[in-house]
């Protein structure tokens, strides 16, 4: 009997191993053909699939109607549509009773492929799928193996900022993508962290691009005067916005003075030493009493992946998105990276900030608005209220909005060290 039991145990173990091997092979196929998902999204955006479907109405559109609207081959279009439906960008409805044709509708995820509108993310897709941004990935191994030239520089002969300054079309792609990003995340900041801007009469948005972020902030908080600060070639083409002044310059040399300095998705582009220099310039730009530096960036949690996946699949996906973003930083910047809480603390300490002993302080403070990689959040949740609750859940905050800012400040707020 013991021998039979051992044999059964061995058989079960072998079967488990075989199943694991089979799953590994399937996963591997998915990984090395993963680029096809990105390519299909770019194709859908360039064809205008989402716009055509939205214009037709939400009752659904047939393949032939969509092909006619887009003036393209129905046989090739069907293969794209089928793939997008598999990826949950589209939903297949019951056949049309009139002619038996299948009907397709956009899902909330599919509407993110729109080129226009507050929720459209097409600009981000078009930037990251552009030949300029794809080329550096081919040089990633050289960067890792030999600590060689940065991948972007190896591909294009200069860093991304110099390249953008010399190539207006690529600079436009970057600005449009950052504006798209701002339209997604700023409402969550306004709704969830409004108290951070109480008593702030002026804000300088460091690396503010075309001013979309600041335009939304001053609209939400009309008492604020906005200063959009970026490289000269960026602000020279920025549109005029109410209560926003565009100033060109170099944040490593000086930052325009304001009550608060705001940095959203800026510091992850730079190494620790460069971040420290930027923060020191921001500190010089704000008042010594009640000045603020407001940072919106990702924080990577050093938690066990398997435990995360078992306990909270959304958190597992969110961490994966942040780690992907870290790979993007390695490919597209010289020494940029995403940071853990400890790494953020190191940068802030070296820049002259340390955790306050009390919540109230007359000294300048740094508020880090808890931020997730919001593209993933938007994939998972649709309403702004749910978006805020999702952010709060990830940092273990209660759902009472009135307490968000105070709890955030007590956890992340920092004051200059002596």
């Amino acid at each position: 009997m013991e021998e039979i039991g051992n044999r059964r145990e061995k058989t079960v173990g072998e079967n488990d191993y075989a199943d694991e091997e089979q799953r590994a092979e399937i996963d591997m196929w998915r990984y090395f053909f993963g680029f096809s998902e990105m390519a299909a999204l770019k194709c859908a955006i360039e064809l205008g699939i989402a716009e055509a479907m939205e214009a037709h109405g939400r009752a659904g559109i047939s393949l032939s109607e969509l092909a006619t609207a887009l003036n393209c081959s129905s046989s090739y279009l069907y293969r794209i549509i089928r793939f997008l439906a598999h990826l949950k960008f589209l939903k297949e409805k019951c056949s049309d009773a009139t002619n038996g044709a299948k009907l397709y509708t956009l899902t909330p995820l599919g509407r993110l492929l729109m080129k226009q509108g507050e929720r459209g993310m097409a600009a981000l897709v078009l930037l990251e799928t552009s030949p300029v941004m794809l080329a550096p990935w081919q040089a990633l191994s050289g960067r890792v193996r030999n600590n060689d030239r940065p991948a972007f520089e190896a591909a294009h002969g200069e860093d991304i900022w110099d390249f953008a300054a010399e190539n207006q079309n690529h600079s436009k792609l970057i600005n449009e993508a950052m504006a798209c990003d701002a339209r997604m995340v700023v409402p969550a900041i306004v709704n969830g962290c409004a108290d951070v801007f109480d008593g702030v009469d002026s804000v300088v948005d460091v690396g503010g691009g075309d001013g979309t972020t600041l335009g939304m902030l001053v609209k939400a908080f009309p008492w604020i005067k906005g200063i959009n600060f970026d490289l000269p070639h960026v602000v020279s083409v920025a549109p005029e916005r109410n209560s926003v002044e565009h100033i060109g310059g170099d944040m490593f040399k000086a930052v325009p003075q304001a009550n608060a300095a705001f940095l959203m998705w800026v510091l992850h582009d730079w190494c620790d030493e460069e971040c420290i220099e930027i923060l020191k310039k921001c500190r010089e730009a704000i008042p010594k009493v009640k000045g603020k530096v407001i940072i919106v960036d990702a924080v990577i949690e050093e938690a066990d992946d398997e435990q995360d996946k078992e306990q909270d699949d959304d958190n597992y996906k969110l961490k994966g998105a942040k780690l992907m973003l870290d790979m993007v930083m390695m490919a597209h910047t010289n020494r940029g990276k995403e940071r853990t809480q400890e790494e953020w603390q190191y940068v802030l300490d070296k820049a002259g900030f340390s955790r306050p002993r009390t919540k109230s302080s007359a000294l300048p403070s740094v508020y880090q608005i808890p931020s997730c990689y919001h593209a993933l959040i938007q994939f998972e949740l649709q309403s702004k209220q749910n978006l805020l609750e999702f952010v709060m859940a990830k940092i273990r905050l209660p759902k009472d909005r009135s307490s968000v800012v105070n709890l955030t400040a007590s956890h992340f707020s920092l004051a200059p060290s002596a």
Side-chain angles (χ1 to χ4, degrees):
M1 292 294 291
E2 183 178 349
E3 183 179 349
I4 294 174
N6 290 338
R7 195 179 305 159
R8 285 178 179 171
E9 185 176 336
K10 183 177 180 182
T11 302
V12 170
E14 288 175 347
N15 288 339
D16 288 344
Y17 181 78
D19 289 344
E20 188 175 343
E21 287 284 294
Q22 189 174 28
R23 286 194 296 270
E25 291 177 6
I26 294 172
D27 285 342
M28 196 62 187
W29 280 96
R30 289 179 56 250
Y31 287 136
F32 63 68
F33 282 133
F35 68 89
S36 61
E37 297 179 358
M38 175 182 64
L41 295 187
K42 181 177 184 178
C43 175
I45 291 168
E46 291 178 339
L47 290 175
I49 288 176
E51 286 81 2
M53 294 181 70
E54 191 74 3
H56 189 81
R58 299 197 176 186
I61 187 171
S62 68
L63 175 64
S64 61
E65 290 171 330
L66 185 58
T68 299
L70 299 176
N71 191 28
C72 63
S73 164
S74 59
S75 60
Y76 286 120
L77 180 61
Y78 170 70
R79 291 159 69 179
I80 295 293
I81 292 296
R82 179 175 60 184
F83 190 36
L84 292 175
H86 175 74
L87 297 176
K88 310 298 184 185
F89 285 87
L90 309 178
K91 185 177 181 180
E92 184 180 304
K93 296 182 64 176
C94 297
S95 300
D96 186 340
T98 305
N99 55 22
K102 295 178 181 177
L103 298 179
Y104 298 92
T105 59
L106 288 171
T107 64
L109 180 59
R111 291 190 184 92
L112 297 180
L113 297 178
M114 304 279 287
K115 296 175 185 175
Q116 303 295 330
E118 292 183 1
R119 296 182 54 76
M121 296 183 69
L124 281 164
V125 176
L126 293 177
L127 171 65
E128 294 301 331
T129 58
S130 67
V132 170
M133 299 302 260
L134 290 176
W137 291 100
Q138 304 297 325
L140 195 59
S141 59
R143 174 66 161 165
V144 176
R145 181 183 296 115
N146 305 317
N147 194 21
D148 208 347
R149 298 169 69 189
F152 193 96
E153 188 177 314
H156 300 294
E158 55 191 341
D159 69 23
I160 189 170
W161 316 116
D162 289 338
F163 184 90
E166 297 170 5
N167 294 270
Q168 186 175 357
N169 288 339
H170 190 66
S171 180
K172 183 181 179 184
L173 268 182
I174 293 175
N175 291 335
E176 289 175 348
M178 294 303 98
C180 164
D181 181 85
R183 287 190 292 271
M184 302 293 286
V185 73
V186 171
I189 296 173
V190 170
N191 292 331
C193 301
D195 289 359
V196 170
F197 297 93
D198 284 351
V200 175
D201 296 327
S202 58
V203 173
V204 54
D205 187 359
V206 182
D210 70 357
T212 298
T213 296
L214 202 51
M216 296 176 72
L217 288 176
V218 298
K219 183 178 180 180
F221 311 114
W223 61 85
I224 291 178
K225 174 191 174 184
I227 301 171
N228 183 50
F229 181 61
D230 211 312
L231 294 169
H233 76 272
V234 175
V235 297
S236 66
V237 294
E240 291 187 6
R241 302 180 188 277
N242 291 334
S243 301
V244 174
E245 177 186 5
H246 297 294
I247 296 180
D250 183 346
M251 63 186 172
F252 289 100
K253 295 180 179 178
V255 171
Q257 292 188 344
N259 290 152
F262 184 89
L263 302 99
M264 186 167 81
W265 303 112
V266 170
L267 296 179
H268 70 170
D269 290 330
W270 307 96
C271 70
D272 289 350
E273 292 76 15
E274 291 164 328
C275 286
I276 291 165
E277 288 304 310
I278 294 168
L279 287 169
K280 285 181 177 179
K281 294 302 178 185
C282 289
R283 185 179 174 184
E284 292 172 4
I286 62 175
K288 292 183 178 180
V289 178
K290 296 185 179 180
K292 295 180 183 178
V293 175
I294 305 168
I295 302 169
V296 182
D297 228 311
V299 179
I300 294 180
E301 298 85 3
E302 296 284 22
D304 180 76
D305 280 351
E306 288 303 318
Q307 185 177 359
D308 272 354
K309 191 171 184 179
E310 291 176 5
Q311 295 181 357
D312 190 341
D313 190 52
D314 285 339
N315 199 42
Y316 175 77
K317 292 178 181 178
L318 182 61
K319 182 179 179 181
K322 294 177 185 178
L323 294 174
M324 289 179 189
L325 188 57
D326 186 53
M327 293 296 98
V328 172
M329 293 300 104
M330 193 186 301
H332 292 163
T333 69
N334 286 1
R335 292 194 292 165
K337 64 178 182 179
E338 301 306 325
R339 293 175 170 85
T340 64
Q341 185 63 43
E342 290 73 22
E343 288 171 327
W344 277 115
Q345 186 64 54
Y346 170 80
V347 168
L348 293 165
D349 283 345
K350 292 297 183 181
F353 296 92
S354 61
R355 291 187 183 276
R357 296 181 180 178
T358 60
K359 289 184 181 179
S360 60
S361 174
L363 298 173
S365 59
V366 174
Y367 285 84
Q368 183 179 341
I369 298 173
S371 174
C372 302
Y373 188 53
H374 39 274
L376 181 67
I377 295 172
Q378 294 295 338
F379 289 168
E380 299 295 326
L381 301 167
Q382 285 76 55
S383 74
K384 292 179 180 178
Q385 181 176 359
N386 284 343
L387 170 61
L388 180 58
E389 290 177 354
F390 187 87
V391 173
M392 291 160 61
K394 292 306 129 187
I395 57 174
R396 304 295 187 265
L397 293 182
K399 294 184 179 181
D400 175 15
R401 292 190 180 190
S402 63
S403 63
V404 172
V405 177
N406 288 336
L407 286 173
T408 301
S410 65
H411 186 66
F412 288 106
S413 176
L414 300 113
S417 56

